[in-house]
């Protein structure tokens, strides 16, 4: 059911981290007061050149860099491991990138972590947007190291570290300008701050951090988009699905990433503060045209889902945290992260994304549409053929005519075709235009007016085909058994040709690929054809089913009726599509 729901999804709200990006972060920009550096390297390898104005320099030339590196190493829960010459992060990818940055600043991370023992910590939370640790060293020093969103840390800082290592008043304008510069490059921003405390200080409280920290600097981390995510977003737009990105990053960073992955409206960004300042009606009015939401919390996700659903749209939402559970539960299709998602998120969601990749969501949407299409194809094949069979008997009874097909022959047709032809449609592959059709309404009925008309049309054609061949046989002086044999074979042949039409029921034009069918279809057709040959020509079965052998040319006539059925309903479909296009 969850996959089928994804097939009708109109909006996908995706967290940037992990689904849209590669999650292989690396620090690319480093900013201290009055200096902006660039940092090179590859992956999590703790080696790389530090440059200032395109000139390689040593980190030891700037003391603030050492202090930033120490904060990055100590306010951190991850670790770096080298396997076969390749460095990997065990833990959060962002924290792994920070350990790599510390190594590039010539800091021995393991030694620092052994010298500075952590006494207490405030874990990162989306509500306060920072992480803080309290550490003591062997020389009776104690410091609080903090990392987090630059806007939040600037609120908590009253001073900054100067170029010569002294403490001076905070230059808010400088830091805000540097934030905009780095964010415009599409880099993820993170700030570091420190606060020396007494050695007897062992418990860390949030109230101890307000406006008392010393700003150390900023880093900008690159988190390149997945190449498959870019094509997946484009495929969503083709399919009439709007993709909205929700992230905790800075608004400028989010806008730059939005442009890279191809979101429709990357220039408009709503932040968590903007959302907090809107009531439900205002959010409903703004949520459709905006595709990027930055500096958001899990609580904002729930409001966004509700606001989008208020437009009668089907929403898929991704999430990984415990606090994402309400939004995942509220969404029409909640999608939890399988790799880094919490158990609470997985239990609340309908789907678990095993690889945390946005492209997999789009594949699931395609699969959902295919499941629904095949279900509808089975219904679209079964109802008209059964109605055609029923009408053949009902007309004969109403008008007092001789039955063109005996009850045992009808039982045979239902047994051989329902078990084979109907089930074969369940194995139909995805049609070429599946992801070029707009999402269907979630209130759409399986028995649409179009399908009801198709049932009536095909039933009448079946009636005409069966009685046409029956009257022909009687007029030629054939026996009643031979006339009924031609009728029952015509009925089966018409069901086979109707099956080939149903396979391409959504196609705008008939193609050779649609006519050729799949291996399953041809195996089924072969089995049915053999079965019909056996009951038509085998003497023992002729006695049971009341059949007689038919001539070659009569057999050609039977197949010709099936071909005419296919041509007629295909022409009707093309005429209907033409009228629909002219109205548009």
């Amino acid at each position: 059911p969850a996959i089928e729901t994804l097939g009708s999804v109109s909006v996908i709200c995706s967290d940037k981290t992990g689904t849209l990006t590669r999650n292989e972060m690396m620090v690319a920009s480093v900013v201290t007061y009055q200096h902006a550096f660039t940092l090179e390297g590859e992956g999590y390898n703790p080696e790389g050149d530090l440059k200032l104005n395109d000139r390689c320099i040593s980190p030891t030339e700037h003391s603030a860099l050492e202090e930033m590196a120490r904060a990055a190493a100590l306010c951190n829960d991850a670790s770096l491991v080298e396997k076969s010459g390749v460095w990997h992060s065990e833990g959060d990818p962002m924290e792994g990138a920070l350990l790599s940055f510390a190594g590039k600043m010539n800091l021995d991370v393991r030694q620092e972590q052994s010298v500075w023992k952590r006494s207490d910590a405030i874990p990162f939370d989306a509500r306060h947007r920072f992480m803080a640790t309290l550490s003591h060293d062997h020389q009776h020093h104690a410091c609080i190291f903090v990392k987090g969103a630059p806007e939040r840390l600037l609120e908590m800082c009253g001073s900054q570290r100067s170029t010569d290592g002294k403490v001076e008043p905070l230059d808010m304008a400088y830091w805000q300008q540097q934030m905009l510069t780095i964010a415009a490059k599409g880099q993820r921003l993170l700030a570091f701050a420190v606060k020396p405390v007494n050695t007897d200080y062992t418990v860390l409280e949030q109230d101890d951090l307000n406006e008392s920290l010393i700003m150390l600097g900023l880093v900008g981390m690159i988190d390149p988009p997945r190449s498959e995510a870019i094509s997946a977003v484009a495929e969503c737009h083709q399919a009439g699905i709007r993709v909205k990105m929700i992230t905790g990053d800075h608004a400028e960073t989010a806008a730059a990433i939005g442009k890279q992955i191809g979101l429709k409206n990357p220039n408009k960004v709503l932040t968590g503060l903007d959302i907090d300042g809107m009531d439900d009606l205002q959010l409903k009015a703004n949520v459709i045209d905006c595709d990027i939401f930055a500096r958001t919390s899990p609580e904002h996700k729930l409001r966004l889902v509700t606001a989008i659903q208020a437009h009668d749209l089907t929403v898929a939402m991704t999430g990984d945290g415990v606090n994402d559970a309400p939004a995942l539960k509220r969404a029409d299709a909640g999608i939890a992260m399988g790799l880094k998602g919490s158990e609470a998120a997985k239990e609340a969601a309908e789907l678990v994304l095993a690889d945390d990749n946005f492209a997999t969501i789009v594949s699931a949407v395609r699969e959902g549409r295919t499941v629904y299409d095949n279900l509808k194809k089975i219904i679209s094949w079964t109802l008209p053929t059964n109605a055609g069979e029923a009408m053949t008997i009902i007309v004969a009874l109403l008008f007092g005519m001789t039955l063109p097909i005996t009850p045992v022959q009808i039982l045979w047709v239902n047994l051989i075709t329902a078990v084979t032809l109907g089930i074969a449609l369940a194995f139909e592959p995805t049609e070429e235009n599946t992801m070029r059709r707009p999402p269907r309404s979630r209130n759409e009925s399986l028995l649409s007016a179009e399908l009801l008309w198709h049932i009536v049309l095909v039933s009448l054609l079946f009636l005409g085909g069966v009685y046409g061949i029956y009257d022909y046989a009687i007029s030629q002086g054939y026996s009643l058994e031979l006339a009924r044999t031609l009728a029952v074979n015509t009925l089966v042949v018409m069901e086979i040709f109707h099956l080939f039409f149903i396979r391409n029921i959504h196609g705008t034009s008939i193609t050779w690929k649609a006519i050729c069918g799949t291996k399953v279809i041809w195996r089924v057709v072969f089995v049915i054809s053999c079965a019909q040959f056996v009951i038509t020509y085998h003497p023992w079965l002729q006695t049971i089913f009341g059949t007689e052998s038919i001539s070659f040319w009569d057999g050609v006539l039977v197949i010709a009726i099936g071909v005419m059925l296919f041509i007629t309903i295909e022409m009707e479909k093309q005429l209907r599509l033409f009228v629909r296009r002219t109205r548009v």
Side-chain angles (χ1 to χ4, degrees):
I3 291 292
E4 194 278 323
T5 301
L6 271 178
S8 64
V9 73
S10 306
V11 179
I12 300 177
C13 297
S14 180
D15 194 320
K16 176 183 76 67
T17 304
T19 58
L20 293 171
T21 55
R22 282 201 278 262
N23 238 354
E24 298 174 355
M25 294 187 185
M26 186 183 77
V27 174
S29 300
V30 184
V31 176
T32 61
Y33 187 61
Q34 294 185 345
H35 292 99
F37 307 88
T38 57
L39 191 59
E40 297 180 349
E42 183 176 344
Y44 295 114
N45 191 337
E47 296 180 359
D49 293 332
L50 179 69
K51 292 185 176 181
L52 179 62
N53 299 325
D54 295 327
R55 181 178 63 88
C56 289
I57 64 170
S58 172
T60 57
E61 298 178 28
H62 299 269
S63 58
L65 292 175
E66 181 182 356
E67 198 167 9
M68 281 184 64
R70 182 174 293 112
L74 299 180
C75 191
N76 202 308
D77 291 325
S79 60
L80 290 183
V81 179
E82 185 182 13
K83 297 178 181 178
S84 303
V86 179
W87 289 85
H88 302 273
S89 172
E90 293 187 350
D92 187 274
M94 180 193 70
E95 293 194 331
L98 295 179
L99 292 179
S100 174
F101 156 71
K104 293 173 183 178
M105 295 300 102
N106 295 335
L107 189 77
D108 190 328
V109 174
R110 292 185 179 178
Q111 181 179 346
E112 288 294 320
Q113 291 176 342
S114 63
V115 170
W116 290 86
K117 296 296 184 181
R118 183 183 297 186
S119 304
D120 200 3
I122 299 176
F124 178 84
D125 191 286
R127 288 172 293 183
H128 55 245
R129 294 183 294 162
F130 69 81
M131 174 185 176
T133 58
L134 170 64
S135 299
H136 295 72
D137 72 354
H138 301 322
Q139 299 178 354
H140 305 293
H141 296 114
C143 281
I144 299 173
F145 299 98
V146 186
K147 74 168 187 284
E151 306 97 307
R152 183 70 181 98
L153 258 64
L154 286 173
E155 295 173 358
M156 301 162 62
C157 290
S159 56
Q160 65 188 22
R161 186 72 74 195
S162 66
T163 52
D164 57 3
K166 295 181 180 179
V167 177
E168 59 183 35
L170 186 70
D171 187 349
M172 184 69 74
Y174 170 79
W175 296 111
Q176 289 179 339
Q177 180 57 47
Q178 291 297 329
M179 286 163 52
L180 292 175
T181 301
I182 297 176
K185 301 176 183 178
Q187 297 179 11
R188 189 172 185 178
L189 287 166
L190 201 66
F192 296 95
V194 68
K195 178 183 178 180
V197 293
N198 295 327
T199 54
D200 58 351
Y201 197 87
T202 57
V203 179
L204 189 56
E205 301 287 348
Q206 289 196 30
D207 292 339
D208 299 328
L209 306 179
N210 293 335
E211 299 182 3
S212 60
L213 301 180
I214 303 170
M215 183 71 171
L216 296 178
L218 305 169
V219 295
M221 290 176 285
I222 55 174
D223 189 11
R226 298 174 185 259
S227 57
E228 64 270 25
I230 297 173
S231 58
V233 169
E235 189 174 5
C236 281
H237 292 162
Q238 260 191 336
I241 301 171
R242 195 73 177 252
V243 180
K244 297 183 182 295
M245 183 178 74
I246 303 173
T247 177
D249 289 345
H250 189 276
E252 292 289 336
T253 301
I257 293 293
K259 290 178 181 177
Q260 292 177 31
I261 64 175
L263 294 185
K264 282 189 174 180
N265 190 10
N267 296 320
K268 182 178 181 181
V269 181
L270 285 181
T271 64
L273 289 176
D274 295 330
I275 296 173
D276 290 334
M278 297 179 183
D279 59 27
D280 291 342
L281 287 177
Q282 290 174 320
L283 185 58
K284 177 184 175 182
N286 285 275
V287 75
I288 292 298
D289 293 331
C290 182
D291 291 332
I292 301 174
F293 304 92
R295 292 301 191 212
T296 56
S297 66
E299 290 78 5
H300 295 137
K301 286 187 176 183
L302 179 59
R303 289 195 65 196
L304 290 171
V305 170
T306 306
I308 297 171
Q309 287 176 329
H311 290 272
D312 199 29
L313 297 173
T314 303
V315 182
M317 166 68 74
T318 67
D320 56 6
V322 174
N323 294 332
D324 291 333
L328 294 173
K329 200 74 175 177
R330 173 71 184 183
D332 298 283
I335 306 171
M337 301 296 103
L339 296 179
K340 61 186 184 67
S342 64
E343 290 302 317
K346 293 177 184 178
E347 290 178 7
E350 292 182 284
L351 296 163
V352 176
L353 196 60
D355 58 1
D356 292 7
N357 191 339
F358 182 81
T360 305
I361 300 177
V362 181
S363 298
V365 171
R366 189 186 305 108
E367 185 66 23
R369 291 190 174 189
T370 302
V371 168
Y372 184 82
D373 283 350
N374 289 350
L375 178 63
K376 198 165 184 177
K377 286 176 182 178
I378 293 173
I379 295 172
S380 300
W381 179 85
T382 303
L383 294 183
T385 53
N386 285 351
E389 294 173 13
M391 286 183 66
T392 301
I393 303 301
I394 292 171
V395 167
L397 295 176
L398 286 177
F399 293 97
M401 302 166 58
T402 304
L403 289 176
I405 302 176
T406 64
V408 70
Q409 289 172 346
I410 283 289
L411 182 61
W412 164 260
V413 171
N414 280 332
L415 177 65
I416 192 65
T417 59
V419 173
T420 53
L421 291 178
I423 293 178
L425 288 169
F427 299 94
E428 281 295 285
T430 303
E431 292 188 12
E432 291 183 357
N433 67 335
T434 294
M435 292 301 281
R436 293 196 293 271
R437 301 198 308 262
R440 62 176 176 84
S441 171
R442 54 185 169 186
N443 299 320
E444 177 185 294
S445 173
L446 279 172
L447 286 175
S448 61
E450 191 174 285
L451 178 55
L452 289 174
W453 159 245
H454 182 72
I455 292 173
V456 172
L457 175 63
V458 173
S459 299
L460 292 174
L461 292 174
F462 268 57
L463 190 65
V466 171
Y467 274 98
I469 193 75
Y470 180 78
D471 289 341
Y472 160 78
I474 296 298
S475 66
Q476 293 294 315
Y478 294 169
S479 66
L480 180 60
E481 288 75 15
L482 181 54
R484 285 174 169 171
T485 304
L486 287 171
V488 73
N489 278 283
T490 299
L491 182 61
V492 172
V493 167
M494 292 176 77
E495 290 188 357
I496 291 174
F497 277 93
H498 183 232
L499 174 72
F500 278 91
F501 169 80
I502 291 297
R503 289 193 66 250
N504 194 45
I505 194 171
H506 297 296
T508 55
S509 61
I510 189 68
T511 62
W512 179 248
K513 184 178 180 180
I515 295 175
C516 284
T518 62
K519 291 182 178 179
V520 174
I521 292 292
W522 283 111
R523 286 170 184 167
V524 167
V525 169
F526 177 76
V527 169
I528 292 176
S529 299
C530 290
Q532 286 302 120
F533 268 98
V534 170
I535 70 164
T536 301
Y537 295 102
H538 195 284
W540 183 65
L541 292 178
Q542 284 177 340
T543 304
I544 296 175
F545 289 99
T547 58
E548 287 186 9
S549 301
I550 63 177
S551 66
F552 173 79
W553 290 111
D554 284 340
V556 171
L557 179 60
V558 169
I559 296 174
I561 292 174
V563 173
M564 289 304 298
L565 169 77
F566 181 86
I567 293 174
T568 302
I569 54 181
E570 182 65 31
M571 287 177 63
E572 182 274 335
K573 183 186 77 173
Q574 296 302 328
L575 180 61
R576 184 162 26 89
L577 292 174
F578 174 76
V579 172
R580 187 183 301 170
R581 287 194 295 267
T582 54
R583 287 179 179 176
V584 175

